[in-house]
Amino acid sequence: MNITQFSIEEILDPTKIIEGKRYEFLLDVEVDEEDELYSAAGLEIRVIVGVIDDNVRIVNYFITDKANNEFLDFALEEDEEAMILAFCKEELSADSSETEAE
């Protein structure tokens, strides 16, 4: 699995019901042709990440085939989830470093 493009946005909770912060990552990914998730058009994974103190975790994710914008009913493998979580942690860390520098 290869992340080719991404965007990140903080999900605001005006009710203050959700503890910590939530972020939405939109990841464009490519997978090997042998993978059951393969699509020639690529995939988009919408990842909701929760952050409480220094604990970052994946709350939920949705996989979409970019060819027809259809949700795929597949779960990521543990190593794929770990790779995505590591990517999100790295980007959140880089984003907070940039914010502090301003």
Side-chain angles (χ1 to χ4, degrees), residues 38-44 63-72:
Y38 176 76
S39 169
L43 303 173
E44 179 180 81
I63 305 170
T64 305
D65 185 338
K66 290 173 62 175
N68 55 15
N69 219 19
E70 181 178 304
F71 283 106
L72 302 178

Side-chain angles (χ1 to χ4, degrees), residues 49-93:
V49 174
V51 180
I52 299 175
D53 299 322
D54 290 333
N55 183 21
V56 180
R57 66 184 179 91
I58 293 176
V59 175
N60 207 343
Y61 61 85
F62 307 93
I63 305 170
T64 305
D65 185 338
K66 290 173 62 175
N68 55 15
N69 219 19
E70 181 178 304
F71 283 106
L72 302 178
D73 191 20
F74 285 97
L76 296 172
E77 295 179 7
E78 283 183 34
D79 61 326
E80 293 170 329
E81 268 191 53
M83 190 261 309
I84 288 174
L85 181 58
F87 176 85
C88 292
K89 283 181 179 180
E90 183 177 314
E91 291 305 322
L92 287 172
S93 175

Side-chain angles (χ1 to χ4, degrees), residues 9 13-14 17 19 26-27 29 33 37-38 47 49 63-64 73 77 79 85-86 92-95 99:
E9 185 175 323
D13 177 23
I17 293 174
E19 184 180 356
L26 293 177
L27 308 174
V29 298
E33 288 185 35
L37 289 175
Y38 176 76
V47 183
V49 174
I63 305 170
T64 305
D73 191 20
E77 295 179 7
D79 61 326
L85 181 58
L92 287 172
S93 175
D95 190 48
T99 304

